[in-house]
Amino acid sequence: MGNCIICGTPVDGEICESHEEDVVFDFHGNAPSQLSPGRYYRGTVDGYADFGVFVDIGDHVTGLLHRSELEQRLESLDWEPGDDVFVQVLDVRDNDNVDLGWSIRQREREFRGKLIDTGDTEKRPEDVDSDTDEAASSASESETDSAADDAITSSASESESDGAGAPSASETVAAGSGSVATESAAASTPATDADTEPESEPALNRTTVDSIDSQVGSVVRLEGEITGVRQTSGPTVFELRDETATVECAAFEEAGVRAYPAVEIEDVVALEGEVERHHGDLQVETETLEILEDDARETVKDRLESAIEREARPADADLLADHEAVTAVNDGIADAATAIRRAVMEARPVVVRHSATADGYVAGAAIERAVLPLIREKHTREDAEYHYFERRPLDGRVYDMDDATNDVTSMLEARDRHGEQLPLVVLADAGSTVESVDSYDLLSLYDAETVVIDDSRADDEVADAVSVAVAPSLDGVDVSDLTSTALAANVAAHINGDVRADLEHLPAVSYWEDTPEDYTDLASEAGYDETALSERREAVALEAYYQSYKDKRELIIDLLFDGSEAATSRDGDLAAHVSEQFRAKLETELETARENLETEDVNGVTVALLDTDAFMHRYNFPTTTLLLDALHRRQRDEGPFVTLGLGDDELHVRATESVDVRELGDTIADAASNAGVSVVGGQDGHIEFLPGERDAVRAAALEALGELLA
């Protein structure tokens, strides 16, 4: 009778039935029938087959881990023949075939205990070691006694042959064997030598995360900041950042129990552990973890800050093209790139919010294209690019409280459940107007930084509420030919100069008309002619509409980056095929819209008005804004021309002459004081009103346009 090594319950053996799956067994038996189904065993990879992996359990038994039992594809396993692995015995068949199952725990420390399965019973490792030591000790003593007797006999024989008597003490010591020799040697050794304690192991020198790839299997010392903590069903995983990169460090107390509970995010620590590869990712198996204080802490913090300051600021980078509106905000472009690079280096997630339009998607994709390689460079996790970067499209070009509340909820949940840092939120083609200020205030309550990249001029309130605003100034600079993608692509080129060539065609993709010649030339040099650009523009616009709340990362990559002249024909056909669908759907709606336009002359200005609720399919492509843009481009002539889209509670304005939508909204509000008029967005924003005052708003809008454009 013994006690369970985990719960202490009296048992026949060493483990109770309820905790049998919590320990790992080393098999010392010699037949498959001696294995116990349900138990977890240490094994060694023997080889691969099409249907699974053969694993040796002990020295005498081999089992099959069938591919259907794996949590991943067989070809993605990083096991090599001879590697130690942990498996569960599922069944031992009558023909002695052993069926094995996957174990999510692939380290001994992830189990709560270890036992030896002898084939007849289980034993504790120390008991087996003790039996082995006793046997070895007995054999050693027997050999020693025999050797001593032989030495004495030999010495005596030599003395007799020389006619001498018994050997002297010095001769006995010289023989070097037996108890007499040992005692004499001990007597001649100073007592201080026997009492001297062995020297402790020398302290490890600090290494850096970017160098541990070549130190797999070695114990290293790292110093840095904890940027994430998450508890798994096995170990606690700490994310540690030093001045070079970030790595995950696993620490095991017992399965599902928090190791080093005093260590939290932003603590500065010294960690020692063995470098391993876990499912392809570098990981450090933590042996010691110490929170640094006072001078030691400040030394590490200074080292980290110096490295970030040095690396975060991008090297001097030229703009993609000589574009006056972009050049005017060059300092803001550099500041935005710095903020994003810094977030990557501090292991903070980057969340890009953009409008669900062609311009918004392309602008967001430009930032994505630049940031992902940096994340892969700075993080050892293979899935880091999905973990530390996210694009989330918006419903419109306003970052409203619904969006901010969703982001705050997500980031707090990630912090509390997974130990993540708060993200950097980047707005692209959205968020530059006063309607977003309350949302930025909510983020600021949690010290979450924000960057705005938008072709609409940033309101003063927005500039004060965000960390960086990259938006045009209207003072003496023509911004009529500016797109958010033109800004975002230049920010991306500053973030990561290595991907500059991938970005050069993107500004031209975002222009529906009047593309600056510098951008068309740049795209042409990159292998994209006018047809290729229009196909990508139309294809992205169509895909932006469907499931507009999703980033569609891989699809957008295929559409934007795999269609140059050097790309395969299959990739080239993708954008062309989707753009055909775009044109077919748009032409159908345009035909209906043109047949139902009302045209008026207002003080010499031609105004075309479309009832968008009556003559548009509300839940079909294209969107109201996209249809009005296309309708306005096709209907306008050389004189002043305005296209109005009037719905039940919204008014959209497109004009050949510059129209300040806010000024127009104020004028309408004065004329229709009971209509609850408000303006949403900037230059290309829209006017909202009460549905019951639709006719009053229509009349006021026509009168106001006549005054503004006269």
Side-chain angles (χ1 to χ4, degrees):
M1 179 70 70
N3 295 319
C4 174
I5 64 171
I6 294 179
C7 65
T9 302
V11 291
D12 291 329
E14 301 293 343
I15 191 73
C16 68
E17 184 176 351
S18 63
H19 287 115
E20 195 168 32
E21 293 188 0
D22 292 330
V23 300
V24 61
F25 290 86
D26 281 347
F27 184 60
H28 287 191
N30 52 27
S33 60
Q34 295 176 319
L35 293 167
S36 298
R39 285 181 173 178
Y40 289 88
Y41 289 86
R42 184 198 307 273
T44 304
V45 176
D46 182 61
Y48 280 81
D50 291 340
F51 42 81
V53 185
F54 289 105
V55 178
D56 293 334
I57 308 297
D59 296 330
H60 305 285
V61 176
T62 298
L64 173 65
L65 178 60
H66 194 271
R67 64 185 180 188
S68 63
E69 294 292 331
L70 296 172
E71 288 191 341
Q72 60 201 100
R73 295 176 64 87
L74 182 63
E75 57 267 26
S76 67
L77 278 178
D78 61 350
W79 293 350
E80 298 290 341
D83 285 353
D84 281 347
V85 296
F86 297 89
V87 292
Q88 185 180 34
V89 172
L90 300 179
D91 188 29
V92 180
R93 304 190 186 190
D94 293 339
N95 61 0
D96 280 348
N97 284 348
V98 179
D99 296 332
L100 302 177
W102 172 261
S103 170
I104 193 173
R105 295 170 291 190
Q106 285 298 320
R107 293 175 180 77
E108 182 179 307
R109 66 179 63 189
E110 296 176 8
F111 293 88
R112 299 180 66 181
K114 173 185 174 183
L115 289 172
I116 306 298
D117 185 344
T118 66
D120 298 320
T121 186
E122 61 267 2
K123 289 187 176 183
R124 303 189 184 203
E126 56 267 29
D127 293 340
V128 174
D129 293 341
S130 176
D131 293 343
T132 303
D133 291 344
E134 288 178 6
S137 176
S138 298
S140 177
E141 288 177 5
S142 176
E143 292 172 0
T144 300
D145 291 344
S146 176
D149 292 343
D150 291 345
I152 294 172
T153 302
S154 175
S155 177
S157 299
E158 291 173 0
S159 298
E160 290 174 0
S161 65
D162 292 337
S168 67
S170 61
E171 289 173 337
T172 303
V173 172
S177 301
S179 58
V180 176
T182 302
E183 290 170 4
S184 300
S188 67
T189 303
T192 53
D193 292 345
D195 296 337
T196 301
E197 295 183 0
E199 294 184 4
S200 60
E201 295 184 7
L204 288 171
N205 292 325
R206 183 181 75 89
T207 190
T208 55
V209 173
D210 66 346
S211 67
I212 65 173
D213 188 31
S214 62
Q215 301 183 62
V216 175
S218 301
V219 176
V220 299
R221 176 184 173 88
L222 300 171
E223 293 178 358
E225 182 180 32
I226 297 297
T227 58
V229 182
R230 74 177 190 275
Q231 182 60 53
T232 70
S233 59
T236 305
V237 180
F238 296 95
E239 189 176 74
L240 182 143
R241 172 181 68 89
D242 71 1
E243 70 272 24
T244 64
T246 300
V247 68
E248 290 193 337
C249 306
F252 190 79
E253 180 69 26
E254 60 180 88
V257 175
R258 174 75 144 83
Y260 301 101
V263 177
E264 299 292 348
I265 293 177
E266 296 186 356
D267 280 345
V268 176
V269 302
L271 181 147
E272 294 183 5
E274 182 178 349
V275 181
E276 294 185 358
R277 286 200 177 275
H278 181 58
H279 300 306
D281 296 339
L282 279 173
Q283 183 170 282
V284 178
E285 297 299 311
T286 306
E287 296 180 0
T288 65
L289 181 58
E290 174 191 3
I291 299 176
L292 299 181
E293 303 287 355
D294 302 327
D295 290 346
R297 180 182 188 278
E298 291 306 312
T299 298
V300 176
K301 289 290 287 184
D302 289 345
R303 184 190 304 143
L304 293 176
E305 185 60 28
S306 296
I308 289 176
E309 286 290 339
R310 183 174 60 254
E311 290 192 54
R313 193 74 185 179
D316 291 339
D318 295 332
L319 297 175
L320 293 176
D322 185 14
H323 189 182
E324 183 184 16
V326 175
T327 303
V329 292
N330 196 15
D331 289 343
I333 287 172
D335 290 342
T338 299
I340 295 170
R341 286 175 59 87
R342 186 180 185 95
V344 172
M345 292 165 190
E346 291 178 340
R348 285 187 289 142
V350 176
V351 177
V352 175
R353 294 293 234 148
H354 59 78
S355 62
T357 64
D359 197 18
Y361 265 90
V362 180
I367 302 298
E368 179 180 85
R369 193 70 167 180
V371 171
L372 294 187
L374 287 185
I375 291 175
R376 290 191 287 266
E377 176 186 335
K378 292 297 181 182
H379 295 272
T380 58
R381 288 178 56 169
E382 288 191 347
D383 64 345
E385 63 188 71
Y386 288 90
H387 185 69
Y388 290 101
F389 185 91
E390 186 175 3
R391 277 195 296 105
R392 299 176 191 164
L394 300 165
D395 287 336
R397 293 193 61 184
V398 171
Y399 184 59
D400 60 25
M401 282 297 290
D402 187 56
D403 301 316
T405 300
N406 180 57
D407 288 346
V408 169
T409 300
S410 297
M411 74 185 191
L412 294 181
E413 181 181 16
R415 184 189 66 181
D416 294 341
R417 293 185 60 185
H418 307 296
E420 292 184 0
Q421 296 192 89
L422 299 182
L424 172 69
V425 180
V426 180
L427 277 296
D429 193 43
S432 63
T433 59
V434 69
E435 291 80 16
S436 300
V437 170
D438 288 344
S439 301
Y440 297 137
D441 288 343
L442 178 60
L443 290 177
S444 68
L445 292 175
Y446 293 95
D447 295 326
E449 293 185 66
T450 47
V451 173
V452 175
I453 305 169
D454 194 4
D455 59 9
S456 291
R457 183 172 63 88
D459 290 335
D460 292 339
E461 296 91 332
V462 171
D464 292 337
V466 302
S467 305
V468 181
V470 185
S473 168
L474 298 182
D475 299 332
V477 178
D478 181 10
V479 297
S480 61
D481 65 348
L482 183 63
T483 65
S484 295
T485 296
L487 292 172
N490 279 285
V491 171
H494 281 63
I495 292 172
N496 188 352
D498 292 341
V499 300
R500 181 187 177 95
D502 293 341
L503 307 170
E504 292 177 340
H505 68 293
L506 295 186
V509 169
S510 63
Y511 286 90
W512 292 93
E513 60 180 350
D514 301 330
T515 307
E517 186 176 350
D518 286 336
Y519 288 143
T520 56
D521 291 345
L522 200 62
S524 178
E525 292 172 4
Y528 295 82
D529 60 18
E530 185 176 345
T531 299
L533 294 172
S534 63
E535 286 175 349
R536 271 136 201 83
R537 181 186 312 119
E538 293 167 353
V540 172
L542 180 65
E543 295 301 343
Y545 173 78
Y546 294 107
Q547 294 189 321
S548 60
Y549 56 91
K550 289 190 175 181
D551 66 359
K552 301 178 280 288
R553 178 184 290 187
E554 290 75 17
L555 176 57
I556 297 299
I557 288 173
D558 283 346
L559 290 174
L560 289 178
F561 300 106
D562 295 334
S564 68
E565 292 178 351
T568 65
S569 59
R570 179 188 65 80
D571 291 329
D573 289 342
L574 175 63
H577 176 72
V578 178
S579 68
E580 286 180 6
Q581 297 178 355
F582 169 91
R583 288 191 291 272
K585 293 176 182 294
L586 181 62
E587 287 299 330
T588 299
E589 291 295 322
L590 279 173
E591 183 178 352
T592 301
R594 282 194 294 263
E595 292 176 355
N596 293 280
L597 277 177
E598 300 178 19
T599 304
E600 295 188 25
D601 183 90
V602 181
N603 291 342
V605 177
T606 302
V607 178
L609 189 146
L610 176 67
D611 187 331
T612 54
D613 281 323
F615 301 110
M616 282 190 64
H617 292 96
R618 180 170 298 181
Y619 300 112
N620 287 352
F621 182 85
T623 62
T624 298
T625 55
L626 193 59
L627 177 67
L628 289 175
D629 287 341
L631 188 64
H632 182 69
R633 286 195 296 270
R634 299 192 186 193
Q635 293 291 324
R636 67 184 182 178
D637 52 26
E638 295 181 359
F641 189 88
V642 176
T643 302
L644 292 183
L646 183 64
D648 284 343
D649 59 0
E650 289 185 354
L651 176 67
H652 296 262
V653 183
R654 301 292 183 268
T656 54
E657 305 295 325
S658 178
V659 173
D660 188 324
V661 177
R662 291 195 181 279
E663 184 180 353
L664 177 63
D666 291 341
T667 304
I668 295 173
D670 290 339
S673 57
N674 296 324
V677 173
S678 62
V679 179
V680 178
Q683 298 159 260
D684 59 351
H686 64 274
I687 296 167
E688 295 183 350
F689 53 87
L690 299 175
E693 297 292 328
R694 184 175 187 271
D695 291 340
V697 168
R698 180 183 186 278
L702 292 173
E703 182 178 353
L705 284 169
E707 295 175 359
L708 291 174
L709 297 176

